[in-house]
Amino acid sequence: MLKVEFLVAGGIITNYKCSSKCRHCSYSSSPKWPDDYMTPDVADEIFSILKRLGCSSVHIGGGEPLLKPDRILDILDSAAKNGMDIEYIETNASWYRDEASAVNILAELKRHGVHTLLISIDPFHNEYIPFRKVKDLVRACSKVGLNVFPWQMEFWDEIDMLDENTPHSFDEYTKLFGKDYLLRLPAKYGLNMKGRAFVTYKPYMRMQPFEQIMREAGPCRLLSGLYHFHVDLYGNFIPQSCPGLAVPLKELVDGADTDKYRIFYNLDSAGVAGLAGLAMKEYRYIPKAEYAGKCDLCYDIRNHLVLGLGLDLPDLKPDGHYRYV
């Protein structure tokens, strides 16, 4: 069985739809996603299960969770009902229109138990969102007494060198800070190289022979991480650092059937070599000569299953992770 018996800290994904299509997004969020949002019933079930598993606090993110500020209040009510603390809500500030409306939204969040807003501050978001919105949102938080968790403050001065009233492309950043600016960002930001982030940086990665990857890759142990897991709006448990793989949280509590979630199980028990063996044997997968590491091989197989064959596999969810990258 695939089973989770204890969890420490993680996040809730209320929606995958986002106002931006950032190059570094490990969840492949974008405006193209369906306009779905977590329902109160799903939230209630998730918080109840997490509490039983030992998790007493979560952060909330997306997508952009404050695209629907009225819908997030129901999620916060469900958290309070189940004794779940909210560490912070992540936001890119794109929804900011003016001080008065922002203050009203922030004050309502505070009344529902939110004390901190994580505000994205980086060149990736600045490709879509004027820095002025970030600055104005920080000021609005101060007015209502909400703490700001700036992610990451070290980019502030670089972004502030450009016009705050408009978004800026990476061409502008490279002109200011050098042609290798994009390549310096992963270490500075601490990027999770999955989803769109992997697509962005794959051209710069060292290629490895398929045989070498198969020989060296061990079990992924996706469920071994107790920290920084996520549960999305559909109730899917997403292991830390690996979006695009999912098993319903309520099934993992009792023990999920490994025959039903074969992709997940093969990765967890035998790693990408096990997945590749399964894909070649049963899904007509033909490996390439080289890949940019084991994650590239894993994504290539998963893309073959979801996009190439059009399969609706229960553990490769949501399929938007592959379709909207």
Side-chain angles (χ1 to χ4, degrees):
M1 293 186 299
L2 293 165
K3 192 168 184 177
V4 168
E5 297 179 338
F6 182 66
L7 291 171
V8 178
I12 302 298
I13 298 174
T14 57
N15 58 325
Y16 286 106
K17 192 178 183 68
C18 190
S19 50
S20 307
K21 189 181 178 182
C22 295
R23 302 186 193 211
H24 74 314
C25 184
S26 62
Y27 291 92
S28 301
S29 296
S30 81
K32 290 185 177 181
W33 280 78
D35 200 19
D36 297 342
Y37 204 92
M38 181 176 284
T39 66
D41 287 344
V42 171
D44 194 53
E45 179 180 65
I46 291 169
F47 290 134
S48 175
I49 293 173
L50 291 180
K51 194 72 174 180
R52 296 202 310 269
L53 292 175
C55 180
S56 59
S57 65
V58 294
H59 62 270
I60 292 179
E64 172 49 58
L66 291 176
L67 285 180
K68 293 180 177 291
D70 55 325
R71 298 288 298 276
I72 202 171
L73 299 181
D74 291 333
I75 310 306
L76 298 175
D77 286 340
S78 293
K81 173 184 173 183
N82 288 279
M84 184 67 63
D85 291 333
I86 303 300
E87 298 163 359
Y88 53 83
I89 295 176
E90 299 175 353
T91 183
N92 61 25
S94 62
W95 53 274
Y96 183 96
R97 294 194 307 274
D98 55 69
E99 183 180 276
S101 62
V103 164
N104 286 338
I105 291 170
L106 297 174
E108 196 64 44
L109 294 178
K110 188 176 180 181
R111 283 192 288 271
H112 282 74
V114 177
H115 304 289
T116 303
L117 214 61
L118 182 153
I119 302 178
S120 297
I121 301 171
D122 57 71
F124 299 106
H125 284 92
N126 191 227
E127 279 202 284
Y128 296 90
I129 301 158
F131 198 36
R132 176 188 55 78
K133 288 196 172 193
V134 172
K135 293 179 176 179
D136 288 346
L137 182 56
V138 170
R139 281 190 285 266
C141 286
S142 179
K143 280 187 174 293
V144 301
L146 270 186
N147 298 319
V148 172
F149 178 6
W151 188 260
Q152 295 186 13
M153 195 64 187
E154 62 185 288
F155 288 113
W156 185 287
D157 290 341
E158 294 177 5
I159 302 171
D160 209 25
M161 292 178 67
L162 299 164
D163 182 1
E164 68 176 20
N165 296 301
T166 183
H168 298 283
S169 69
F170 266 96
D171 286 342
E172 295 175 81
Y173 279 95
T174 55
K175 287 177 183 177
L176 273 177
F177 304 113
K179 292 183 178 180
D180 64 341
Y181 183 72
L182 182 66
L183 296 181
R184 298 200 309 266
L185 291 180
K188 189 174 180 179
Y189 190 90
L191 288 188
N192 175 23
M193 288 296 185
K194 300 296 191 296
R196 196 174 299 118
F198 186 83
V199 172
T200 298
Y201 284 98
K202 178 182 172 180
Y204 307 102
M205 296 178 181
R206 181 174 61 88
M207 301 300 288
Q208 297 176 262
F210 169 72
E211 291 80 7
Q212 178 185 345
I213 296 172
M214 292 288 283
R215 189 169 58 250
E216 297 177 353
C220 287
R221 299 302 182 200
L222 298 171
L223 296 181
S224 63
L226 306 177
Y227 298 88
H228 215 71
F229 64 88
H230 286 82
V231 184
D232 72 8
L233 62 153
Y234 307 113
N236 290 319
F237 176 89
I238 302 163
Q240 62 179 24
S241 303
C242 210
L245 290 165
V247 177
L249 179 63
K250 62 182 178 181
E251 293 187 38
L252 284 173
V253 175
D254 297 323
D257 185 354
T258 55
D259 289 333
K260 180 178 180 181
Y261 301 103
R262 298 175 72 202
I263 307 302
F264 203 111
Y265 174 68
N266 270 273
L267 284 169
D268 186 55
S269 60
V272 71
L275 177 60
L278 174 69
M280 289 186 288
K281 180 180 179 181
E282 299 190 24
Y283 295 106
R284 307 190 304 278
Y285 180 71
I286 302 174
K288 300 178 177 66
E290 293 184 318
Y291 296 87
K294 63 181 181 180
C295 291
D296 186 23
L297 172 57
C298 183
Y299 261 119
D300 195 59
I301 294 170
R302 289 191 266 156
N303 280 320
H304 169 73
L305 299 175
V306 176
L307 304 179
L309 300 183
L311 299 178
D312 183 19
L313 299 175
D315 36 5
L316 295 186
K317 297 294 181 183
D319 61 7
H321 180 74
Y322 306 97
R323 299 187 187 283
Y324 306 128
V325 66

CSV table of all heavy atoms in Angstrom, one decimal, residues 19 29-30 65 104-105 129 133 136 140 146 150 171 175 191 206 233 243 271 281 283 289 298 307 311 319:
chain,number,residue,atom,x,y,z
A,19,SER,N,-2.8,34.7,-12.6
A,19,SER,CA,-2.7,35.8,-13.5
A,19,SER,C,-1.4,35.9,-14.3
A,19,SER,O,-1.3,36.6,-15.3
A,19,SER,CB,-2.8,37.1,-12.7
A,19,SER,OG,-1.9,37.1,-11.6
A,29,SER,N,1.4,26.8,-13.2
A,29,SER,CA,0.2,27.7,-13.1
A,29,SER,C,0.2,28.7,-14.2
A,29,SER,O,1.3,29.1,-14.7
A,29,SER,CB,0.1,28.4,-11.8
A,29,SER,OG,0.0,27.4,-10.7
A,30,SER,N,-1.0,29.1,-14.7
A,30,SER,CA,-1.1,30.1,-15.7
A,30,SER,C,-2.5,30.5,-15.9
A,30,SER,O,-3.4,29.9,-15.3
A,30,SER,CB,-0.6,29.6,-17.1
A,30,SER,OG,-1.6,28.8,-17.7
A,65,PRO,N,-4.2,32.5,-5.1
A,65,PRO,CA,-5.4,32.3,-4.3
A,65,PRO,C,-6.3,33.5,-4.1
A,65,PRO,O,-7.5,33.3,-3.8
A,65,PRO,CB,-4.8,31.8,-2.9
A,65,PRO,CG,-3.4,32.4,-2.9
A,65,PRO,CD,-3.0,32.3,-4.3
A,104,ASN,N,-9.8,46.6,2.4
A,104,ASN,CA,-11.0,45.8,2.7
A,104,ASN,C,-10.7,44.3,2.7
A,104,ASN,O,-11.2,43.6,3.6
A,104,ASN,CB,-12.1,46.2,1.8
A,104,ASN,CG,-12.7,47.6,2.1
A,104,ASN,OD1,-12.6,48.1,3.2
A,104,ASN,ND2,-13.3,48.2,1.1
A,105,ILE,N,-10.1,43.9,1.6
A,105,ILE,CA,-9.8,42.5,1.5
A,105,ILE,C,-8.8,42.0,2.6
A,105,ILE,O,-9.1,40.9,3.2
A,105,ILE,CB,-9.2,42.2,0.1
A,105,ILE,CG1,-10.2,42.4,-1.0
A,105,ILE,CG2,-8.6,40.8,0.0
A,105,ILE,CD1,-9.7,42.4,-2.4
A,129,ILE,N,3.9,41.5,-13.6
A,129,ILE,CA,3.3,42.3,-12.6
A,129,ILE,C,4.1,43.5,-12.3
A,129,ILE,O,5.3,43.4,-11.9
A,129,ILE,CB,3.0,41.5,-11.3
A,129,ILE,CG1,2.1,40.3,-11.5
A,129,ILE,CG2,2.4,42.4,-10.2
A,129,ILE,CD1,2.3,39.2,-10.5
A,133,LYS,N,2.6,47.5,-7.8
A,133,LYS,CA,1.5,46.8,-7.1
A,133,LYS,C,2.1,46.1,-5.9
A,133,LYS,O,1.4,46.0,-4.9
A,133,LYS,CB,0.9,45.7,-8.1
A,133,LYS,CG,0.0,46.3,-9.2
A,133,LYS,CD,-0.8,45.3,-9.8
A,133,LYS,CE,-1.9,45.9,-10.7
A,133,LYS,NZ,-2.9,44.9,-11.1
A,136,ASP,N,2.6,48.8,-3.2
A,136,ASP,CA,1.4,49.3,-2.7
A,136,ASP,C,0.7,48.3,-1.8
A,136,ASP,O,0.1,48.6,-0.8
A,136,ASP,CB,0.4,49.7,-3.8
A,136,ASP,CG,0.8,50.9,-4.6
A,136,ASP,OD1,1.7,51.7,-4.0
A,136,ASP,OD2,0.3,51.2,-5.7
A,140,ALA,N,-0.4,48.5,2.1
A,140,ALA,CA,-1.7,48.2,2.5
A,140,ALA,C,-1.7,47.2,3.7
A,140,ALA,O,-2.5,47.3,4.6
A,140,ALA,CB,-2.6,47.7,1.4
A,146,LEU,N,-1.2,43.6,9.0
A,146,LEU,CA,-0.8,42.3,8.5
A,146,LEU,C,0.7,42.2,8.4
A,146,LEU,O,1.3,43.1,7.8
A,146,LEU,CB,-1.5,41.9,7.2
A,146,LEU,CG,-2.8,41.2,7.2
A,146,LEU,CD1,-3.2,40.9,5.8
A,146,LEU,CD2,-2.8,40.0,8.1
A,150,PRO,N,8.3,38.8,2.7
A,150,PRO,CA,8.8,39.1,1.4
A,150,PRO,C,9.6,38.0,0.8
A,150,PRO,O,10.6,37.6,1.3
A,150,PRO,CB,9.6,40.4,1.6
A,150,PRO,CG,10.2,40.3,2.9
A,150,PRO,CD,9.1,39.5,3.7
A,171,ASP,N,15.0,40.2,-21.0
A,171,ASP,CA,16.0,40.9,-21.8
A,171,ASP,C,16.4,42.2,-21.1
A,171,ASP,O,17.6,42.5,-21.2
A,171,ASP,CB,15.3,41.3,-23.2
A,171,ASP,CG,15.2,40.1,-24.1
A,171,ASP,OD1,15.9,39.1,-23.8
A,171,ASP,OD2,14.4,40.1,-25.0
A,175,LYS,N,20.3,42.9,-19.8
A,175,LYS,CA,21.1,44.2,-20.2
A,175,LYS,C,21.7,44.9,-19.0
A,175,LYS,O,22.7,45.5,-19.1
A,175,LYS,CB,20.1,45.1,-21.0
A,175,LYS,CG,19.8,44.6,-22.4
A,175,LYS,CD,18.8,45.6,-23.1
A,175,LYS,CE,18.4,45.0,-24.5
A,175,LYS,NZ,17.4,45.9,-25.1
A,191,LEU,N,15.2,27.5,-6.5
A,191,LEU,CA,14.2,27.0,-7.3
A,191,LEU,C,14.0,25.5,-7.2
A,191,LEU,O,15.0,24.8,-7.0
A,191,LEU,CB,14.5,27.3,-8.8
A,191,LEU,CG,14.3,28.8,-9.2
A,191,LEU,CD1,14.5,28.9,-10.7
A,191,LEU,CD2,13.0,29.4,-8.8
A,206,ARG,N,23.3,19.5,-18.2
A,206,ARG,CA,24.2,18.5,-18.8
A,206,ARG,C,23.4,17.3,-19.2
A,206,ARG,O,22.6,16.8,-18.4
A,206,ARG,CB,25.3,18.1,-17.8
A,206,ARG,CG,26.3,17.1,-18.4
A,206,ARG,CD,27.4,17.0,-17.4
A,206,ARG,NE,27.0,16.4,-16.1
A,206,ARG,CZ,26.8,15.1,-15.9
A,206,ARG,NH1,27.1,14.2,-16.8
A,206,ARG,NH2,26.4,14.7,-14.7
A,233,LEU,N,-6.8,21.6,-4.6
A,233,LEU,CA,-8.3,21.8,-4.5
A,233,LEU,C,-9.1,20.6,-4.8
A,233,LEU,O,-10.3,20.6,-4.5
A,233,LEU,CB,-8.7,23.0,-5.5
A,233,LEU,CG,-8.4,22.8,-7.0
A,233,LEU,CD1,-9.4,23.6,-7.8
A,233,LEU,CD2,-7.0,23.2,-7.3
A,243,PRO,N,5.4,18.1,-8.3
A,243,PRO,CA,4.0,18.3,-8.9
A,243,PRO,C,3.8,17.4,-10.1
A,243,PRO,O,4.7,17.0,-10.7
A,243,PRO,CB,4.0,19.8,-9.3
A,243,PRO,CG,5.2,20.4,-8.5
A,243,PRO,CD,6.2,19.3,-8.4
A,271,GLY,N,12.0,3.9,-8.5
A,271,GLY,CA,12.5,5.1,-9.1
A,271,GLY,C,12.2,5.2,-10.6
A,271,GLY,O,11.4,4.4,-11.1
A,281,LYS,N,7.4,-1.4,-21.5
A,281,LYS,CA,6.7,-2.7,-21.6
A,281,LYS,C,5.2,-2.6,-21.9
A,281,LYS,O,4.7,-3.4,-22.8
A,281,LYS,CB,6.8,-3.5,-20.3
A,281,LYS,CG,6.2,-4.9,-20.2
A,281,LYS,CD,6.4,-5.5,-18.9
A,281,LYS,CE,5.7,-6.9,-18.9
A,281,LYS,NZ,5.9,-7.6,-17.5
A,283,TYR,N,3.4,0.7,-22.4
A,283,TYR,CA,2.8,2.0,-22.9
A,283,TYR,C,3.6,2.4,-24.2
A,283,TYR,O,3.5,3.6,-24.5
A,283,TYR,CB,2.8,3.1,-21.9
A,283,TYR,CG,1.9,2.8,-20.7
A,283,TYR,CD1,2.4,2.4,-19.5
A,283,TYR,CD2,0.5,2.9,-20.9
A,283,TYR,CE1,1.5,2.1,-18.4
A,283,TYR,CE2,-0.4,2.6,-19.8
A,283,TYR,CZ,0.2,2.3,-18.6
A,283,TYR,OH,-0.7,2.0,-17.5
A,289,ALA,N,18.2,8.7,-26.6
A,289,ALA,CA,19.6,8.4,-26.2
A,289,ALA,C,20.1,9.1,-25.0
A,289,ALA,O,20.8,8.5,-24.2
A,289,ALA,CB,20.5,8.7,-27.4
A,298,CYS,N,11.8,11.2,-16.4
A,298,CYS,CA,10.5,11.0,-15.7
A,298,CYS,C,9.4,11.9,-16.4
A,298,CYS,O,8.3,11.4,-16.7
A,298,CYS,CB,10.6,11.3,-14.2
A,298,CYS,SG,9.1,11.1,-13.3
A,307,LEU,N,0.0,13.4,-22.7
A,307,LEU,CA,-0.1,14.1,-23.9
A,307,LEU,C,0.0,13.3,-25.2
A,307,LEU,O,-0.8,13.4,-26.1
A,307,LEU,CB,0.9,15.3,-24.0
A,307,LEU,CG,0.9,16.2,-22.8
A,307,LEU,CD1,2.0,17.3,-23.0
A,307,LEU,CD2,-0.4,16.9,-22.6
A,311,LEU,N,-3.8,9.4,-22.1
A,311,LEU,CA,-4.4,8.5,-21.0
A,311,LEU,C,-4.8,9.3,-19.8
A,311,LEU,O,-4.3,10.4,-19.5
A,311,LEU,CB,-3.3,7.5,-20.5
A,311,LEU,CG,-2.8,6.6,-21.6
A,311,LEU,CD1,-1.7,5.7,-21.0
A,311,LEU,CD2,-3.9,5.7,-22.1
A,319,ASP,N,-4.0,17.0,-15.0
A,319,ASP,CA,-3.3,16.9,-16.3
A,319,ASP,C,-2.9,18.3,-16.8
A,319,ASP,O,-2.1,18.4,-17.7
A,319,ASP,CB,-4.2,16.1,-17.3
A,319,ASP,CG,-5.5,16.8,-17.6
A,319,ASP,OD1,-5.8,17.9,-17.1
A,319,ASP,OD2,-6.3,16.1,-18.3
